[in-house]
Amino acid sequence: MLDATPIRTDWTRSEAETLYNQPLMDLLFQAHTVHRQYFDPNQVQKSKLLSIKTGGCAEDCAYCSQSARNGAQLSASKLIEVQRVIAEAKKAKDGGATRYCMGAAWRSPKDRDMAALEAMVQGVKDLGMETCMTLGMLEEDQVFRLRDAGLDYYNHNIDTSERYYSEIITTRTFADRIDTLNRVREAGIKVCSGGIVGMGEQQLDRIDMMLALATLEVHPDSVPVNMLIPIADTPLADVEKLDPIEFVRSVALARILMPKSHVRLSAGRTDMSDEMQAMCFFAGANSIFVGDTLLTADNPEEDKDQQLFDRLGITAMAMGCDGSR
């Protein structure tokens, strides 16, 4: 096996730009070489995402149908029952998912909801699955409560570059997101953080987003790369669609800059051809969400994913396996 690429957190913008803009075949070769140093290239981790509280969010994220402030017509729901979450997690496990992610449309959770959130984490852990939550910003005591309940991962995407951030969200700052990531990591919970491409940003914003994650003190354990799904009545409903090759370049850059992270193809796969997804897997993506819904957006059905895996010779990572070499 080739010597492993060193884990760096001191990447420069110049280096990242050079990597991103090299000829595509060179970029893919480099990303795939790095990927093989750390992971089995024919294994992909399967996660399942459940919305445990939908709509009515106080944030104004321009891409999101769950915001109460950006024009989307999605009614708010209450936090769902603990036993329903556990029952849905059991179905996901039976379908081959090894990680169960629970998302709530909140700016941050209220203390009155913490006991139920802890019970959800404990119940899913009892099934033998990894647990992940995305609940918005967290206070220090909330982080510790979730950690003590057994939470493995906390998802908090930075969404885009610091420069472009205020064009997408005004109700919190880029620094707020980084503060939450640091708080979670320092408590011993694994960090899941990525972003969205195709929101009208410039190429440099995609590079800077990956660079912001790759220069954290510790790289995120998981890096979701989302393709914008334009939602009717949101400010980004009519944004111009991103060139698929730009998306593949973003995946490849994430793999090179963060060699040991799981890079996840997240939202937007319904609009990706099988060939585009195959290129992303070759570029270093090794995690997907399964199931026909991601929070409120469509996702490929599990049968379609399995057919693609079969064609590519890809197998799902087993429970307790991270695909690393």
Side-chain angles (χ1 to χ4, degrees):
M1 185 175 69
L2 296 174
D3 291 339
T5 299
I7 306 301
R8 293 179 50 190
T9 58
D10 61 349
W11 293 99
T12 67
R13 176 188 277 176
S14 176
E15 288 176 310
E17 281 189 275
T18 299
L19 288 169
Y20 189 97
N21 287 310
Q22 65 184 305
L24 181 64
M25 298 307 142
D26 293 339
L27 175 61
L28 292 179
F29 177 78
Q30 184 173 353
H32 187 71
T33 300
V34 171
H35 187 55
R36 279 183 174 271
Q37 291 173 354
Y38 288 97
F39 294 100
D40 181 335
N42 297 309
Q43 287 194 343
V44 171
Q45 189 260 337
K46 296 167 70 173
S47 297
K48 184 69 182 285
L49 177 62
L50 175 71
S51 178
I52 58 174
K53 191 276 176 188
T54 303
C57 182
E59 304 283 15
D60 66 352
C61 306
Y63 54 81
C64 187
S65 64
Q66 303 200 63
S67 170
R69 306 174 59 151
N70 71 10
Q73 305 297 313
L74 183 69
S75 58
S77 69
K78 295 181 179 180
L79 185 67
I80 67 176
E81 301 83 3
V82 173
Q83 290 305 315
R84 180 182 164 195
V85 172
I86 297 171
E88 291 296 325
K90 177 65 165 57
K91 293 178 186 177
K93 180 181 179 181
D94 292 343
T98 59
R99 186 180 305 171
Y100 200 66
C101 306
M102 295 158 273
W106 283 324
R107 177 177 172 81
S108 57
K110 294 181 173 59
D111 285 342
R112 66 170 182 256
D113 297 311
M114 290 303 298
L117 296 173
E118 291 168 292
M120 291 175 190
V121 171
Q122 291 165 352
V124 175
K125 287 286 284 186
D126 287 344
L127 295 174
M129 302 183 77
E130 291 181 323
T131 55
C132 179
M133 281 189 159
T134 178
L135 311 169
M137 294 184 291
L138 295 178
E139 298 298 329
E140 188 172 14
D141 66 313
Q142 295 173 328
V143 173
F144 289 138
R145 289 183 66 173
L146 291 170
R147 179 199 65 186
D148 293 344
L151 186 66
D152 296 299
Y153 291 84
Y154 193 74
N155 168 256
H156 198 59
N157 291 336
I158 60 172
D159 285 345
T160 188
S161 70
E162 185 171 12
R163 184 202 72 83
Y164 196 60
Y165 189 86
S166 62
E167 299 293 321
I168 302 300
I169 303 160
T170 67
T171 47
R172 73 172 95 168
T173 68
F174 189 86
D176 288 334
R177 300 224 177 213
I178 298 298
D179 287 346
T180 295
L181 293 179
N182 289 335
R183 192 171 292 131
V184 166
R185 178 185 56 79
E186 289 167 1
I189 299 173
K190 295 176 182 178
V191 169
C192 174
S193 185
I196 307 169
V197 299
M199 296 192 293
E201 76 281 351
Q202 297 177 15
Q203 184 185 88
L204 188 58
D205 294 308
R206 294 189 285 278
I207 294 170
D208 280 351
M209 178 181 72
M210 296 304 178
L211 193 60
L213 296 170
T215 54
L216 292 173
E217 186 175 334
V218 178
H219 293 164
D221 295 271
S222 293
V223 180
V225 185
N226 298 271
M227 175 79 85
L228 176 71
I229 301 175
I231 303 293
D233 301 317
T234 64
L236 297 181
D238 299 317
V239 70
E240 184 178 351
K241 190 171 182 178
L242 184 71
D243 178 354
I245 297 301
E246 288 291 302
F247 185 87
V248 174
R249 286 184 179 274
S250 300
V251 170
L253 183 64
R255 171 51 65 217
I256 296 170
L257 298 184
M258 294 170 279
K260 295 182 72 174
S261 302
H262 284 77
V263 177
R264 179 179 300 132
L265 291 186
S266 296
R269 286 201 303 121
T270 50
D271 288 336
M272 297 180 193
S273 67
D274 287 353
E275 293 78 10
M276 180 180 172
Q277 292 185 68
M279 287 181 69
C280 289
F281 292 135
F282 187 83
N286 62 341
S287 179
I288 63 169
F289 278 122
V290 296
D292 58 6
T293 303
L294 289 184
L295 296 179
T296 62
D298 290 337
N299 196 51
E301 295 182 357
E302 292 183 42
D303 285 350
K304 185 174 181 180
D305 283 334
Q306 189 57 55
Q307 290 169 10
L308 178 59
F309 277 23
D310 290 343
R311 291 172 63 200
L312 300 179
I314 288 175
T315 59
M317 292 180 195
M319 197 77 67
C321 171
D322 65 4
S324 60
R325 289 193 181 276

mmCIF file of all heavy atoms in Angstrom, residues 175-210:
data_model
loop_
_atom_site.group_PDB
_atom_site.id
_atom_site.type_symbol
_atom_site.label_atom_id
_atom_site.label_comp_id
_atom_site.label_asym_id
_atom_site.label_seq_id
_atom_site.Cartn_x
_atom_site.Cartn_y
_atom_site.Cartn_z
ATOM 1 N N ALA A 175 -19.374 32.331 12.442
ATOM 2 C CA ALA A 175 -18.638 32.073 13.685
ATOM 3 C C ALA A 175 -19.487 31.288 14.683
ATOM 4 O O ALA A 175 -18.954 30.453 15.437
ATOM 5 C CB ALA A 175 -18.177 33.390 14.301
ATOM 6 N N ASP A 176 -20.808 31.534 14.708
ATOM 7 C CA ASP A 176 -21.693 30.760 15.593
ATOM 8 C C ASP A 176 -21.589 29.274 15.272
ATOM 9 O O ASP A 176 -21.568 28.423 16.170
ATOM 10 C CB ASP A 176 -23.153 31.203 15.418
ATOM 11 C CG ASP A 176 -23.433 32.575 16.010
ATOM 12 O OD1 ASP A 176 -22.711 32.974 16.935
ATOM 13 O OD2 ASP A 176 -24.367 33.243 15.523
ATOM 14 N N ARG A 177 -21.532 28.952 13.996
ATOM 15 C CA ARG A 177 -21.453 27.545 13.584
ATOM 16 C C ARG A 177 -20.125 26.931 14.028
ATOM 17 O O ARG A 177 -20.093 25.814 14.537
ATOM 18 C CB ARG A 177 -21.609 27.435 12.072
ATOM 19 C CG ARG A 177 -22.932 27.986 11.562
ATOM 20 C CD ARG A 177 -23.543 27.077 10.536
ATOM 21 N NE ARG A 177 -24.846 27.582 10.116
ATOM 22 C CZ ARG A 177 -25.866 26.816 9.770
ATOM 23 N NH1 ARG A 177 -25.748 25.516 9.823
ATOM 24 N NH2 ARG A 177 -27.004 27.343 9.384
ATOM 25 N N ILE A 178 -19.041 27.645 13.811
ATOM 26 C CA ILE A 178 -17.738 27.134 14.210
ATOM 27 C C ILE A 178 -17.680 26.946 15.723
ATOM 28 O O ILE A 178 -17.132 25.947 16.225
ATOM 29 C CB ILE A 178 -16.618 28.075 13.742
ATOM 30 C CG1 ILE A 178 -16.611 28.178 12.199
ATOM 31 C CG2 ILE A 178 -15.262 27.606 14.251
ATOM 32 C CD1 ILE A 178 -16.343 26.877 11.482
ATOM 33 N N ASP A 179 -18.262 27.870 16.475
ATOM 34 C CA ASP A 179 -18.283 27.750 17.945
ATOM 35 C C ASP A 179 -18.997 26.477 18.374
ATOM 36 O O ASP A 179 -18.535 25.775 19.292
ATOM 37 C CB ASP A 179 -18.974 28.970 18.573
ATOM 38 C CG ASP A 179 -18.122 30.225 18.495
ATOM 39 O OD1 ASP A 179 -16.911 30.112 18.213
ATOM 40 O OD2 ASP A 179 -18.678 31.326 18.705
ATOM 41 N N THR A 180 -20.121 26.168 17.738
ATOM 42 C CA THR A 180 -20.853 24.944 18.087
ATOM 43 C C THR A 180 -20.017 23.713 17.752
ATOM 44 O O THR A 180 -19.955 22.765 18.548
ATOM 45 C CB THR A 180 -22.204 24.893 17.351
ATOM 46 O OG1 THR A 180 -23.029 25.966 17.818
ATOM 47 C CG2 THR A 180 -22.925 23.577 17.608
ATOM 48 N N LEU A 181 -19.360 23.699 16.599
ATOM 49 C CA LEU A 181 -18.520 22.565 16.222
ATOM 50 C C LEU A 181 -17.404 22.354 17.246
ATOM 51 O O LEU A 181 -17.123 21.219 17.652
ATOM 52 C CB LEU A 181 -17.916 22.792 14.838
ATOM 53 C CG LEU A 181 -18.881 22.816 13.651
ATOM 54 C CD1 LEU A 181 -18.116 23.083 12.358
ATOM 55 C CD2 LEU A 181 -19.657 21.516 13.550
ATOM 56 N N ASN A 182 -16.776 23.435 17.672
ATOM 57 C CA ASN A 182 -15.699 23.315 18.651
ATOM 58 C C ASN A 182 -16.218 22.806 19.988
ATOM 59 O O ASN A 182 -15.575 21.981 20.651
ATOM 60 C CB ASN A 182 -15.003 24.668 18.830
ATOM 61 C CG ASN A 182 -14.169 25.056 17.626
ATOM 62 O OD1 ASN A 182 -13.722 24.197 16.865
ATOM 63 N ND2 ASN A 182 -13.954 26.351 17.429
ATOM 64 N N ARG A 183 -17.388 23.286 20.382
ATOM 65 C CA ARG A 183 -17.978 22.861 21.657
ATOM 66 C C ARG A 183 -18.280 21.362 21.639
ATOM 67 O O ARG A 183 -18.026 20.644 22.619
ATOM 68 C CB ARG A 183 -19.260 23.678 21.899
ATOM 69 C CG ARG A 183 -19.840 23.583 23.288
ATOM 70 C CD ARG A 183 -20.968 24.594 23.454
ATOM 71 N NE ARG A 183 -20.460 25.959 23.429
ATOM 72 C CZ ARG A 183 -20.956 26.927 22.685
ATOM 73 N NH1 ARG A 183 -21.971 26.686 21.866
ATOM 74 N NH2 ARG A 183 -20.445 28.140 22.735
ATOM 75 N N VAL A 184 -18.814 20.884 20.523
ATOM 76 C CA VAL A 184 -19.141 19.465 20.389
ATOM 77 C C VAL A 184 -17.868 18.616 20.410
ATOM 78 O O VAL A 184 -17.784 17.607 21.125
ATOM 79 C CB VAL A 184 -19.931 19.238 19.079
ATOM 80 C CG1 VAL A 184 -19.992 17.760 18.732
ATOM 81 C CG2 VAL A 184 -21.339 19.819 19.195
ATOM 82 N N ARG A 185 -16.885 19.025 19.636
ATOM 83 C CA ARG A 185 -15.633 18.252 19.562
ATOM 84 C C ARG A 185 -14.935 18.193 20.908
ATOM 85 O O ARG A 185 -14.443 17.138 21.335
ATOM 86 C CB ARG A 185 -14.704 18.864 18.521
ATOM 87 C CG ARG A 185 -13.357 18.160 18.408
ATOM 88 C CD ARG A 185 -12.428 18.871 17.441
ATOM 89 N NE ARG A 185 -12.225 20.266 17.786
ATOM 90 C CZ ARG A 185 -11.404 20.684 18.748
ATOM 91 N NH1 ARG A 185 -10.718 19.808 19.466
ATOM 92 N NH2 ARG A 185 -11.256 21.976 18.996
ATOM 93 N N GLU A 186 -14.880 19.324 21.604
ATOM 94 C CA GLU A 186 -14.190 19.369 22.894
ATOM 95 C C GLU A 186 -14.874 18.497 23.941
ATOM 96 O O GLU A 186 -14.228 18.032 24.887
ATOM 97 C CB GLU A 186 -14.112 20.821 23.380
ATOM 98 C CG GLU A 186 -13.140 21.667 22.562
ATOM 99 C CD GLU A 186 -13.282 23.155 22.811
ATOM 100 O OE1 GLU A 186 -14.139 23.531 23.656
ATOM 101 O OE2 GLU A 186 -12.565 23.938 22.158
ATOM 102 N N ALA A 187 -16.174 18.238 23.761
ATOM 103 C CA ALA A 187 -16.905 17.371 24.695
ATOM 104 C C ALA A 187 -16.713 15.894 24.379
ATOM 105 O O ALA A 187 -17.151 15.038 25.149
ATOM 106 C CB ALA A 187 -18.388 17.715 24.675
ATOM 107 N N GLY A 188 -16.077 15.591 23.248
ATOM 108 C CA GLY A 188 -15.822 14.205 22.898
ATOM 109 C C GLY A 188 -16.830 13.582 21.961
ATOM 110 O O GLY A 188 -16.799 12.377 21.720
ATOM 111 N N ILE A 189 -17.731 14.389 21.397
ATOM 112 C CA ILE A 189 -18.676 13.899 20.388
ATOM 113 C C ILE A 189 -18.039 14.099 19.016
ATOM 114 O O ILE A 189 -17.412 15.126 18.750
ATOM 115 C CB ILE A 189 -20.014 14.655 20.473
ATOM 116 C CG1 ILE A 189 -20.659 14.442 21.844
ATOM 117 C CG2 ILE A 189 -20.971 14.207 19.370
ATOM 118 C CD1 ILE A 189 -21.905 15.296 22.071
ATOM 119 N N LYS A 190 -18.205 13.140 18.126
ATOM 120 C CA LYS A 190 -17.648 13.252 16.788
ATOM 121 C C LYS A 190 -18.428 14.299 15.991
ATOM 122 O O LYS A 190 -19.644 14.405 16.117
ATOM 123 C CB LYS A 190 -17.677 11.904 16.073
ATOM 124 C CG LYS A 190 -16.783 10.858 16.730
ATOM 125 C CD LYS A 190 -16.920 9.506 16.040
ATOM 126 C CE LYS A 190 -16.057 8.459 16.725
ATOM 127 N NZ LYS A 190 -16.211 7.120 16.113
ATOM 128 N N VAL A 191 -17.700 15.017 15.166
ATOM 129 C CA VAL A 191 -18.289 16.114 14.402
ATOM 130 C C VAL A 191 -18.653 15.654 12.996
ATOM 131 O O VAL A 191 -17.861 14.999 12.313
ATOM 132 C CB VAL A 191 -17.323 17.307 14.334
ATOM 133 C CG1 VAL A 191 -17.796 18.342 13.316
ATOM 134 C CG2 VAL A 191 -17.179 17.951 15.706
ATOM 135 N N CYS A 192 -19.856 16.003 12.569
ATOM 136 C CA CYS A 192 -20.316 15.809 11.199
ATOM 137 C C CYS A 192 -20.634 17.195 10.653
ATOM 138 O O CYS A 192 -21.548 17.858 11.152
ATOM 139 C CB CYS A 192 -21.558 14.912 11.184
ATOM 140 S SG CYS A 192 -22.344 14.730 9.563
ATOM 141 N N SER A 193 -19.864 17.649 9.676
ATOM 142 C CA SER A 193 -20.085 19.001 9.170
ATOM 143 C C SER A 193 -19.634 19.100 7.722
ATOM 144 O O SER A 193 -18.547 18.657 7.356
ATOM 145 C CB SER A 193 -19.311 20.027 10.015
ATOM 146 O OG SER A 193 -19.620 21.345 9.605
ATOM 147 N N GLY A 194 -20.492 19.676 6.906
ATOM 148 C CA GLY A 194 -20.196 19.885 5.494
ATOM 149 C C GLY A 194 -20.939 21.117 5.018
ATOM 150 O O GLY A 194 -21.006 22.121 5.723
ATOM 151 N N GLY A 195 -21.505 21.022 3.824
ATOM 152 C CA GLY A 195 -22.209 22.175 3.307
ATOM 153 C C GLY A 195 -22.989 21.858 2.046
ATOM 154 O O GLY A 195 -23.167 20.705 1.677
ATOM 155 N N ILE A 196 -23.439 22.913 1.397
ATOM 156 C CA ILE A 196 -24.290 22.814 0.222
ATOM 157 C C ILE A 196 -23.605 23.543 -0.924
ATOM 158 O O ILE A 196 -23.116 24.665 -0.750
ATOM 159 C CB ILE A 196 -25.675 23.442 0.477
ATOM 160 C CG1 ILE A 196 -26.316 22.849 1.735
ATOM 161 C CG2 ILE A 196 -26.585 23.263 -0.731
ATOM 162 C CD1 ILE A 196 -27.553 23.601 2.199
ATOM 163 N N VAL A 197 -23.572 22.924 -2.087
ATOM 164 C CA VAL A 197 -23.058 23.600 -3.274
ATOM 165 C C VAL A 197 -24.197 23.778 -4.268
ATOM 166 O O VAL A 197 -25.202 23.062 -4.226
ATOM 167 C CB VAL A 197 -21.885 22.822 -3.914
ATOM 168 C CG1 VAL A 197 -20.731 22.703 -2.933
ATOM 169 C CG2 VAL A 197 -22.314 21.447 -4.380
ATOM 170 N N GLY A 198 -24.046 24.786 -5.110
ATOM 171 C CA GLY A 198 -25.095 25.076 -6.077
ATOM 172 C C GLY A 198 -26.091 26.112 -5.593
ATOM 173 O O GLY A 198 -27.218 26.174 -6.093
ATOM 174 N N MET A 199 -25.685 26.962 -4.631
ATOM 175 C CA MET A 199 -26.590 27.989 -4.099
ATOM 176 C C MET A 199 -26.326 29.353 -4.726
ATOM 177 O O MET A 199 -26.704 30.381 -4.165
ATOM 178 C CB MET A 199 -26.457 28.089 -2.576
ATOM 179 C CG MET A 199 -26.865 26.839 -1.846
ATOM 180 S SD MET A 199 -27.041 27.070 -0.051
ATOM 181 C CE MET A 199 -25.328 27.377 0.426
ATOM 182 N N GLY A 200 -25.662 29.356 -5.892
ATOM 183 C CA GLY A 200 -25.344 30.618 -6.537
ATOM 184 C C GLY A 200 -24.000 31.169 -6.115
ATOM 185 O O GLY A 200 -23.636 32.291 -6.507
ATOM 186 N N GLU A 201 -23.249 30.378 -5.355
ATOM 187 C CA GLU A 201 -21.936 30.809 -4.891
ATOM 188 C C GLU A 201 -20.918 30.767 -6.022
ATOM 189 O O GLU A 201 -21.156 30.159 -7.063
ATOM 190 C CB GLU A 201 -21.467 29.912 -3.729
ATOM 191 C CG GLU A 201 -20.980 28.523 -4.138
ATOM 192 C CD GLU A 201 -22.085 27.519 -4.424
ATOM 193 O OE1 GLU A 201 -23.256 27.828 -4.142
ATOM 194 O OE2 GLU A 201 -21.763 26.417 -4.935
ATOM 195 N N GLN A 202 -19.787 31.381 -5.810
ATOM 196 C CA GLN A 202 -18.681 31.306 -6.753
ATOM 197 C C GLN A 202 -17.845 30.056 -6.472
ATOM 198 O O GLN A 202 -17.932 29.455 -5.402
ATOM 199 C CB GLN A 202 -17.802 32.552 -6.647
ATOM 200 C CG GLN A 202 -18.515 33.844 -7.009
ATOM 201 C CD GLN A 202 -17.630 35.066 -6.814
ATOM 202 O OE1 GLN A 202 -16.413 34.956 -6.668
ATOM 203 N NE2 GLN A 202 -18.253 36.239 -6.826
ATOM 204 N N GLN A 203 -17.030 29.692 -7.462
ATOM 205 C CA GLN A 203 -16.166 28.541 -7.284
ATOM 206 C C GLN A 203 -15.289 28.690 -6.034
ATOM 207 O O GLN A 203 -15.093 27.740 -5.272
ATOM 208 C CB GLN A 203 -15.287 28.351 -8.516
ATOM 209 C CG GLN A 203 -14.408 27.115 -8.476
ATOM 210 C CD GLN A 203 -13.478 27.044 -9.666
ATOM 211 O OE1 GLN A 203 -12.371 27.581 -9.621
ATOM 212 N NE2 GLN A 203 -13.935 26.417 -10.746
ATOM 213 N N LEU A 204 -14.783 29.895 -5.805
ATOM 214 C CA LEU A 204 -13.921 30.127 -4.652
ATOM 215 C C LEU A 204 -14.655 29.879 -3.341
ATOM 216 O O LEU A 204 -14.039 29.472 -2.346
ATOM 217 C CB LEU A 204 -13.365 31.555 -4.683
ATOM 218 C CG LEU A 204 -12.294 31.879 -3.632
ATOM 219 C CD1 LEU A 204 -11.097 30.941 -3.754
ATOM 220 C CD2 LEU A 204 -11.852 33.339 -3.753
ATOM 221 N N ASP A 205 -15.958 30.086 -3.321
ATOM 222 C CA ASP A 205 -16.730 29.807 -2.101
ATOM 223 C C ASP A 205 -16.760 28.315 -1.809
ATOM 224 O O ASP A 205 -16.696 27.904 -0.641
ATOM 225 C CB ASP A 205 -18.152 30.347 -2.230
ATOM 226 C CG ASP A 205 -18.198 31.856 -2.309
ATOM 227 O OD1 ASP A 205 -17.598 32.506 -1.433
ATOM 228 O OD2 ASP A 205 -18.805 32.384 -3.255
ATOM 229 N N ARG A 206 -16.857 27.501 -2.850
ATOM 230 C CA ARG A 206 -16.829 26.051 -2.638
ATOM 231 C C ARG A 206 -15.468 25.614 -2.098
ATOM 232 O O ARG A 206 -15.376 24.760 -1.207
ATOM 233 C CB ARG A 206 -17.170 25.325 -3.941
ATOM 234 C CG ARG A 206 -18.601 25.558 -4.397
ATOM 235 C CD ARG A 206 -18.999 24.670 -5.549
ATOM 236 N NE ARG A 206 -18.425 25.098 -6.830
ATOM 237 C CZ ARG A 206 -18.928 26.057 -7.597
ATOM 238 N NH1 ARG A 206 -20.001 26.730 -7.202
ATOM 239 N NH2 ARG A 206 -18.369 26.348 -8.767
ATOM 240 N N ILE A 207 -14.425 26.205 -2.632
ATOM 241 C CA ILE A 207 -13.076 25.895 -2.159
ATOM 242 C C ILE A 207 -12.911 26.347 -0.710
ATOM 243 O O ILE A 207 -12.406 25.610 0.135
ATOM 244 C CB ILE A 207 -12.028 26.567 -3.074
ATOM 245 C CG1 ILE A 207 -12.079 25.951 -4.472
ATOM 246 C CG2 ILE A 207 -10.626 26.455 -2.475
ATOM 247 C CD1 ILE A 207 -11.268 26.700 -5.511
ATOM 248 N N ASP A 208 -13.357 27.570 -0.419
ATOM 249 C CA ASP A 208 -13.196 28.109 0.939
ATOM 250 C C ASP A 208 -14.020 27.343 1.963
ATOM 251 O O ASP A 208 -13.620 27.220 3.127
ATOM 252 C CB ASP A 208 -13.577 29.587 0.965
ATOM 253 C CG ASP A 208 -12.458 30.494 0.453
ATOM 254 O OD1 ASP A 208 -11.333 29.984 0.251
ATOM 255 O OD2 ASP A 208 -12.705 31.696 0.267
ATOM 256 N N MET A 209 -15.183 26.837 1.558
ATOM 257 C CA MET A 209 -15.989 26.031 2.481
ATOM 258 C C MET A 209 -15.214 24.787 2.901
ATOM 259 O O MET A 209 -15.133 24.457 4.094
ATOM 260 C CB MET A 209 -17.316 25.635 1.835
ATOM 261 C CG MET A 209 -18.186 24.750 2.716
ATOM 262 S SD MET A 209 -19.734 24.260 1.930
ATOM 263 C CE MET A 209 -19.150 23.092 0.694
ATOM 264 N N MET A 210 -14.652 24.069 1.938
ATOM 265 C CA MET A 210 -13.874 22.878 2.264
ATOM 266 C C MET A 210 -12.628 23.233 3.062
ATOM 267 O O MET A 210 -12.231 22.507 3.988
ATOM 268 C CB MET A 210 -13.482 22.140 0.982
ATOM 269 C CG MET A 210 -14.653 21.586 0.191
ATOM 270 S SD MET A 210 -15.708 20.485 1.183
ATOM 271 C CE MET A 210 -16.971 20.098 -0.038
#
